[in-house]
Amino acid sequence: GPGRVGQRQHLQPCTPQRAGDSPRHHLRPEGFRPPVVKQHIAVVKQTGNAETDILSQDPGTVGDTAAAPMIDFVKSVAGQRHVCLEEGTQSSWIYEVLQPHVDSVIVAHKSESKGPTRNKNDVGDAFRLAEALRIGSVKPVYKARGGFARLRSVVDVYTKISTDTTRVQNRLKALYRSRGIKTSGKTIYTLKRREEWLDKLPDNYRGSAEVLFEQYDAMVSSKKRARKLVVQDLLQHPESCIVGSCPGRGLSVVMRS
């Protein structure tokens, strides 16, 4: 039925609450849209009636201090509490903070909260999330991390550093191509031929290349360290050994899985 925990994706609009009904039999979807300092919250009853509130915090609050107002707020909502929040920088943290205190938590893609116009409206976005959760139209994009939290964290860092390294490589080659210098192959990135490549540039562009080469060297060092952390954590999960043993699949495939 629509009031059962775990049936969130099948929720349908419910009949209005009658006098004397116990509040615990009614769902209270809540939509969170977490900005940096303020959190706009919309609480939608199963009848569709909405209540909105704003939690304001000192930007310096962190950890348990920052989480306390959110926890206190959701606890103040009577009945079953199903929370939907917008995907973003804080979504993972908010998920972990609220999950023990509510019946369910869903993280939705940002597009779920957008209205017909592109104008920014935090209160309206929070209401749309809560209403979408009430009628069961939200598509989750986040899963609880559980024992894989550390692995996902280091793999995420490794992936981002790899992307940044490629961007620096492209900037280097673009600089040389802008001076009519061919850069086929990967010898441009080797330390042994660094001076040779720098000498090919006019003096006005040598400084720019040196800065990009320094950035590239730093990225390569960070990438190696991140990869080491990923490998160390992978060894703690027997599942990675099974996937890595499949023909044509190695560490790189496991890291992307």
Side-chain angles (χ1 to χ4, degrees):
R4 294 172 60 184
V5 178
Q7 299 297 317
R8 180 183 57 252
Q9 66 274 25
H10 300 300
L11 293 180
Q12 298 295 331
C14 303
T15 57
Q17 180 174 345
R18 298 184 300 272
D21 281 355
S22 173
R24 67 175 176 270
H25 295 303
H26 296 272
L27 302 177
R28 300 296 294 274
E30 301 156 36
F32 282 77
R33 192 174 191 276
V36 177
V37 179
K38 293 183 178 180
Q39 291 174 331
H40 295 75
I41 303 175
V43 180
V44 179
K45 301 178 181 179
Q46 65 175 8
T47 58
N49 295 332
E51 305 168 9
T52 60
D53 202 348
I54 297 177
L55 296 182
S56 300
Q57 296 179 356
D58 185 323
T61 57
V62 296
D64 294 341
T65 304
M70 291 188 294
I71 296 174
D72 291 341
F73 182 89
V74 297
K75 285 184 176 180
S76 70
V77 178
Q80 294 184 18
R81 297 181 286 265
H82 297 273
V83 177
C84 180
L85 57 120
E86 184 181 87
E87 184 181 26
T89 304
Q90 295 183 339
S91 59
S92 176
W93 171 67
I94 294 177
Y95 181 99
E96 295 169 4
V97 165
L98 296 182
Q99 198 273 335
H101 306 284
V102 297
D103 295 280
S104 64
V105 184
I106 285 183
V107 178
H109 192 272
K110 288 185 177 182
S111 61
E112 296 274 2
S113 65
K114 301 304 178 185
T117 64
R118 294 185 177 274
N119 295 332
K120 183 179 177 62
N121 186 330
D122 290 334
V123 175
D125 291 348
F127 172 77
R128 274 184 284 273
L129 280 177
E131 179 64 12
L133 178 60
R134 185 181 75 89
I135 64 176
S137 64
V138 176
K139 297 180 180 179
V141 296
Y142 178 85
K143 296 181 180 180
R145 298 193 172 190
F148 293 93
R150 174 180 167 82
L151 178 60
R152 290 195 181 190
S153 177
V154 293
V155 168
D156 181 58
V157 169
Y158 176 83
T159 302
K160 290 176 179 177
I161 292 177
S162 298
T163 300
D164 291 341
T165 303
T166 301
R167 288 173 178 169
V168 176
Q169 290 176 318
N170 292 337
R171 292 188 188 113
L172 270 169
K173 287 196 171 185
L175 177 62
Y176 278 86
R177 287 197 302 271
S178 71
R179 307 312 305 164
I181 303 172
K182 295 182 179 180
T183 59
S184 58
K186 298 182 178 181
T187 58
I188 186 176
Y189 308 124
T190 60
L191 287 173
K192 292 182 179 180
R193 301 186 62 177
R194 181 69 52 82
E195 287 299 323
E196 176 185 338
W197 277 98
L198 287 172
D199 290 340
K200 293 182 179 183
L201 287 170
D203 291 340
N204 291 340
Y205 295 87
R206 185 183 175 98
S208 299
E210 289 175 342
V211 171
L212 288 174
F213 276 124
E214 290 176 2
Q215 184 182 17
Y216 171 74
D217 293 339
M219 297 302 299
V220 169
S221 176
S222 297
K223 182 178 178 181
K224 289 180 179 178
R225 184 183 176 190
R227 181 182 176 86
K228 182 178 179 180
L229 291 174
V230 171
V231 173
Q232 289 176 347
D233 204 72
L234 275 172
L235 296 178
Q236 306 301 318
H237 300 281
E239 296 87 350
S240 64
C241 298
I242 298 175
V243 177
S245 65
C246 297
R249 293 176 176 267
L251 176 62
S252 59
V253 176
V254 175
M255 291 169 64
R256 292 196 298 269
S257 300

PDB file of all heavy atoms in Angstrom, residues 85-104:
ATOM      1  N   LEU A  85      16.453  14.505  -1.956  1.00  0.00           N
ATOM      2  CA  LEU A  85      17.340  15.658  -2.048  1.00  0.00           C
ATOM      3  C   LEU A  85      18.045  15.688  -3.390  1.00  0.00           C
ATOM      4  O   LEU A  85      18.185  14.673  -4.058  1.00  0.00           O
ATOM      5  CB  LEU A  85      18.356  15.655  -0.913  1.00  0.00           C
ATOM      6  CG  LEU A  85      19.254  14.428  -0.785  1.00  0.00           C
ATOM      7  CD1 LEU A  85      20.708  14.824  -0.925  1.00  0.00           C
ATOM      8  CD2 LEU A  85      19.040  13.767   0.572  1.00  0.00           C
ATOM      9  N   GLU A  86      18.443  16.879  -3.757  1.00  0.00           N
ATOM     10  CA  GLU A  86      19.056  17.099  -5.071  1.00  0.00           C
ATOM     11  C   GLU A  86      20.511  16.660  -5.072  1.00  0.00           C
ATOM     12  O   GLU A  86      21.247  16.886  -4.117  1.00  0.00           O
ATOM     13  CB  GLU A  86      18.969  18.588  -5.416  1.00  0.00           C
ATOM     14  CG  GLU A  86      19.481  18.945  -6.791  1.00  0.00           C
ATOM     15  CD  GLU A  86      19.370  20.434  -7.037  1.00  0.00           C
ATOM     16  OE1 GLU A  86      20.310  21.163  -6.659  1.00  0.00           O
ATOM     17  OE2 GLU A  86      18.350  20.874  -7.591  1.00  0.00           O
ATOM     18  N   GLU A  87      20.919  16.036  -6.152  1.00  0.00           N
ATOM     19  CA  GLU A  87      22.295  15.596  -6.287  1.00  0.00           C
ATOM     20  C   GLU A  87      23.224  16.800  -6.292  1.00  0.00           C
ATOM     21  O   GLU A  87      22.957  17.815  -6.930  1.00  0.00           O
ATOM     22  CB  GLU A  87      22.468  14.807  -7.585  1.00  0.00           C
ATOM     23  CG  GLU A  87      23.855  14.227  -7.777  1.00  0.00           C
ATOM     24  CD  GLU A  87      23.978  13.490  -9.089  1.00  0.00           C
ATOM     25  OE1 GLU A  87      23.231  13.813 -10.025  1.00  0.00           O
ATOM     26  OE2 GLU A  87      24.834  12.587  -9.170  1.00  0.00           O
ATOM     27  N   GLY A  88      24.318  16.697  -5.568  1.00  0.00           N
ATOM     28  CA  GLY A  88      25.264  17.800  -5.501  1.00  0.00           C
ATOM     29  C   GLY A  88      26.424  17.464  -4.591  1.00  0.00           C
ATOM     30  O   GLY A  88      26.597  16.316  -4.157  1.00  0.00           O
ATOM     31  N   THR A  89      27.228  18.486  -4.265  1.00  0.00           N
ATOM     32  CA  THR A  89      28.419  18.278  -3.451  1.00  0.00           C
ATOM     33  C   THR A  89      28.087  17.708  -2.085  1.00  0.00           C
ATOM     34  O   THR A  89      28.803  16.856  -1.558  1.00  0.00           O
ATOM     35  CB  THR A  89      29.171  19.607  -3.276  1.00  0.00           C
ATOM     36  OG1 THR A  89      29.477  20.146  -4.564  1.00  0.00           O
ATOM     37  CG2 THR A  89      30.468  19.397  -2.505  1.00  0.00           C
ATOM     38  N   GLN A  90      26.984  18.157  -1.486  1.00  0.00           N
ATOM     39  CA  GLN A  90      26.631  17.736  -0.138  1.00  0.00           C
ATOM     40  C   GLN A  90      25.690  16.544  -0.081  1.00  0.00           C
ATOM     41  O   GLN A  90      25.366  16.062   1.003  1.00  0.00           O
ATOM     42  CB  GLN A  90      25.969  18.907   0.604  1.00  0.00           C
ATOM     43  CG  GLN A  90      26.886  20.094   0.845  1.00  0.00           C
ATOM     44  CD  GLN A  90      26.179  21.183   1.643  1.00  0.00           C
ATOM     45  OE1 GLN A  90      24.945  21.236   1.680  1.00  0.00           O
ATOM     46  NE2 GLN A  90      26.940  22.044   2.274  1.00  0.00           N
ATOM     47  N   SER A  91      25.247  16.045  -1.215  1.00  0.00           N
ATOM     48  CA  SER A  91      24.205  15.017  -1.208  1.00  0.00           C
ATOM     49  C   SER A  91      24.641  13.739  -0.487  1.00  0.00           C
ATOM     50  O   SER A  91      23.850  13.137   0.243  1.00  0.00           O
ATOM     51  CB  SER A  91      23.765  14.699  -2.641  1.00  0.00           C
ATOM     52  OG  SER A  91      24.866  14.248  -3.412  1.00  0.00           O
ATOM     53  N   SER A  92      25.890  13.325  -0.678  1.00  0.00           N
ATOM     54  CA  SER A  92      26.363  12.105  -0.024  1.00  0.00           C
ATOM     55  C   SER A  92      26.362  12.272   1.492  1.00  0.00           C
ATOM     56  O   SER A  92      25.916  11.390   2.236  1.00  0.00           O
ATOM     57  CB  SER A  92      27.774  11.762  -0.508  1.00  0.00           C
ATOM     58  OG  SER A  92      28.283  10.639   0.177  1.00  0.00           O
ATOM     59  N   TRP A  93      26.848  13.428   1.949  1.00  0.00           N
ATOM     60  CA  TRP A  93      26.906  13.684   3.388  1.00  0.00           C
ATOM     61  C   TRP A  93      25.501  13.755   3.989  1.00  0.00           C
ATOM     62  O   TRP A  93      25.234  13.154   5.035  1.00  0.00           O
ATOM     63  CB  TRP A  93      27.667  14.983   3.637  1.00  0.00           C
ATOM     64  CG  TRP A  93      27.609  15.465   5.050  1.00  0.00           C
ATOM     65  CD1 TRP A  93      28.165  14.862   6.143  1.00  0.00           C
ATOM     66  CD2 TRP A  93      26.935  16.631   5.530  1.00  0.00           C
ATOM     67  NE1 TRP A  93      27.891  15.592   7.278  1.00  0.00           N
ATOM     68  CE2 TRP A  93      27.140  16.683   6.932  1.00  0.00           C
ATOM     69  CE3 TRP A  93      26.199  17.641   4.926  1.00  0.00           C
ATOM     70  CZ2 TRP A  93      26.623  17.706   7.723  1.00  0.00           C
ATOM     71  CZ3 TRP A  93      25.693  18.654   5.715  1.00  0.00           C
ATOM     72  CH2 TRP A  93      25.905  18.682   7.091  1.00  0.00           C
ATOM     73  N   ILE A  94      24.594  14.484   3.332  1.00  0.00           N
ATOM     74  CA  ILE A  94      23.230  14.617   3.845  1.00  0.00           C
ATOM     75  C   ILE A  94      22.542  13.247   3.868  1.00  0.00           C
ATOM     76  O   ILE A  94      21.798  12.925   4.798  1.00  0.00           O
ATOM     77  CB  ILE A  94      22.420  15.611   3.001  1.00  0.00           C
ATOM     78  CG1 ILE A  94      23.016  17.018   3.150  1.00  0.00           C
ATOM     79  CG2 ILE A  94      20.957  15.625   3.417  1.00  0.00           C
ATOM     80  CD1 ILE A  94      22.328  18.073   2.303  1.00  0.00           C
ATOM     81  N   TYR A  95      22.786  12.444   2.845  1.00  0.00           N
ATOM     82  CA  TYR A  95      22.215  11.089   2.802  1.00  0.00           C
ATOM     83  C   TYR A  95      22.630  10.302   4.037  1.00  0.00           C
ATOM     84  O   TYR A  95      21.806   9.678   4.714  1.00  0.00           O
ATOM     85  CB  TYR A  95      22.689  10.382   1.536  1.00  0.00           C
ATOM     86  CG  TYR A  95      22.150   8.982   1.356  1.00  0.00           C
ATOM     87  CD1 TYR A  95      21.063   8.737   0.527  1.00  0.00           C
ATOM     88  CD2 TYR A  95      22.728   7.900   2.022  1.00  0.00           C
ATOM     89  CE1 TYR A  95      20.563   7.454   0.355  1.00  0.00           C
ATOM     90  CE2 TYR A  95      22.225   6.618   1.868  1.00  0.00           C
ATOM     91  CZ  TYR A  95      21.154   6.394   1.033  1.00  0.00           C
ATOM     92  OH  TYR A  95      20.658   5.128   0.880  1.00  0.00           O
ATOM     93  N   GLU A  96      23.926  10.327   4.344  1.00  0.00           N
ATOM     94  CA  GLU A  96      24.434   9.562   5.477  1.00  0.00           C
ATOM     95  C   GLU A  96      23.926  10.110   6.805  1.00  0.00           C
ATOM     96  O   GLU A  96      23.693   9.348   7.756  1.00  0.00           O
ATOM     97  CB  GLU A  96      25.965   9.575   5.449  1.00  0.00           C
ATOM     98  CG  GLU A  96      26.549   8.852   4.247  1.00  0.00           C
ATOM     99  CD  GLU A  96      28.039   9.106   4.082  1.00  0.00           C
ATOM    100  OE1 GLU A  96      28.625   9.790   4.959  1.00  0.00           O
ATOM    101  OE2 GLU A  96      28.625   8.630   3.089  1.00  0.00           O
ATOM    102  N   VAL A  97      23.746  11.435   6.875  1.00  0.00           N
ATOM    103  CA  VAL A  97      23.283  12.063   8.108  1.00  0.00           C
ATOM    104  C   VAL A  97      21.818  11.729   8.391  1.00  0.00           C
ATOM    105  O   VAL A  97      21.440  11.405   9.525  1.00  0.00           O
ATOM    106  CB  VAL A  97      23.471  13.599   8.042  1.00  0.00           C
ATOM    107  CG1 VAL A  97      22.680  14.300   9.141  1.00  0.00           C
ATOM    108  CG2 VAL A  97      24.950  13.951   8.151  1.00  0.00           C
ATOM    109  N   LEU A  98      20.975  11.797   7.365  1.00  0.00           N
ATOM    110  CA  LEU A  98      19.537  11.647   7.566  1.00  0.00           C
ATOM    111  C   LEU A  98      19.046  10.209   7.513  1.00  0.00           C
ATOM    112  O   LEU A  98      17.999   9.899   8.075  1.00  0.00           O
ATOM    113  CB  LEU A  98      18.781  12.470   6.520  1.00  0.00           C
ATOM    114  CG  LEU A  98      18.962  13.992   6.572  1.00  0.00           C
ATOM    115  CD1 LEU A  98      18.101  14.652   5.511  1.00  0.00           C
ATOM    116  CD2 LEU A  98      18.610  14.533   7.955  1.00  0.00           C
ATOM    117  N   GLN A  99      19.766   9.339   6.849  1.00  0.00           N
ATOM    118  CA  GLN A  99      19.293   7.980   6.622  1.00  0.00           C
ATOM    119  C   GLN A  99      18.856   7.251   7.904  1.00  0.00           C
ATOM    120  O   GLN A  99      17.817   6.575   7.912  1.00  0.00           O
ATOM    121  CB  GLN A  99      20.368   7.177   5.879  1.00  0.00           C
ATOM    122  CG  GLN A  99      19.861   5.907   5.217  1.00  0.00           C
ATOM    123  CD  GLN A  99      19.888   4.733   6.168  1.00  0.00           C
ATOM    124  OE1 GLN A  99      20.676   4.732   7.119  1.00  0.00           O
ATOM    125  NE2 GLN A  99      19.050   3.736   5.916  1.00  0.00           N
ATOM    126  N   PRO A 100      19.571   7.405   9.029  1.00  0.00           N
ATOM    127  CA  PRO A 100      19.136   6.690  10.241  1.00  0.00           C
ATOM    128  C   PRO A 100      17.870   7.266  10.876  1.00  0.00           C
ATOM    129  O   PRO A 100      17.274   6.624  11.741  1.00  0.00           O
ATOM    130  CB  PRO A 100      20.333   6.857  11.197  1.00  0.00           C
ATOM    131  CG  PRO A 100      21.488   7.242  10.336  1.00  0.00           C
ATOM    132  CD  PRO A 100      20.895   8.045   9.222  1.00  0.00           C
ATOM    133  N   HIS A 101      17.450   8.465  10.454  1.00  0.00           N
ATOM    134  CA  HIS A 101      16.356   9.155  11.138  1.00  0.00           C
ATOM    135  C   HIS A 101      15.066   9.224  10.316  1.00  0.00           C
ATOM    136  O   HIS A 101      14.083   9.799  10.774  1.00  0.00           O
ATOM    137  CB  HIS A 101      16.790  10.580  11.504  1.00  0.00           C
ATOM    138  CG  HIS A 101      18.057  10.629  12.299  1.00  0.00           C
ATOM    139  ND1 HIS A 101      18.111  10.312  13.637  1.00  0.00           N
ATOM    140  CD2 HIS A 101      19.339  10.920  11.927  1.00  0.00           C
ATOM    141  CE1 HIS A 101      19.355  10.430  14.073  1.00  0.00           C
ATOM    142  NE2 HIS A 101      20.118  10.795  13.065  1.00  0.00           N
ATOM    143  N   VAL A 102      15.073   8.660   9.101  1.00  0.00           N
ATOM    144  CA  VAL A 102      13.885   8.716   8.260  1.00  0.00           C
ATOM    145  C   VAL A 102      13.590   7.332   7.709  1.00  0.00           C
ATOM    146  O   VAL A 102      14.395   6.401   7.853  1.00  0.00           O
ATOM    147  CB  VAL A 102      14.073   9.718   7.090  1.00  0.00           C
ATOM    148  CG1 VAL A 102      14.270  11.130   7.622  1.00  0.00           C
ATOM    149  CG2 VAL A 102      15.258   9.311   6.210  1.00  0.00           C
ATOM    150  N   ASP A 103      12.440   7.187   7.080  1.00  0.00           N
ATOM    151  CA  ASP A 103      12.062   5.886   6.521  1.00  0.00           C
ATOM    152  C   ASP A 103      12.812   5.575   5.233  1.00  0.00           C
ATOM    153  O   ASP A 103      13.087   4.421   4.927  1.00  0.00           O
ATOM    154  CB  ASP A 103      10.547   5.855   6.280  1.00  0.00           C
ATOM    155  CG  ASP A 103       9.774   5.936   7.591  1.00  0.00           C
ATOM    156  OD1 ASP A 103       9.658   4.903   8.268  1.00  0.00           O
ATOM    157  OD2 ASP A 103       9.315   7.038   7.952  1.00  0.00           O
ATOM    158  N   SER A 104      13.116   6.608   4.461  1.00  0.00           N
ATOM    159  CA  SER A 104      13.866   6.398   3.222  1.00  0.00           C
ATOM    160  C   SER A 104      14.461   7.718   2.751  1.00  0.00           C
ATOM    161  O   SER A 104      13.946   8.789   3.078  1.00  0.00           O
ATOM    162  CB  SER A 104      12.964   5.812   2.127  1.00  0.00           C
ATOM    163  OG  SER A 104      11.933   6.731   1.790  1.00  0.00           O
TER     164      SER A 104
END
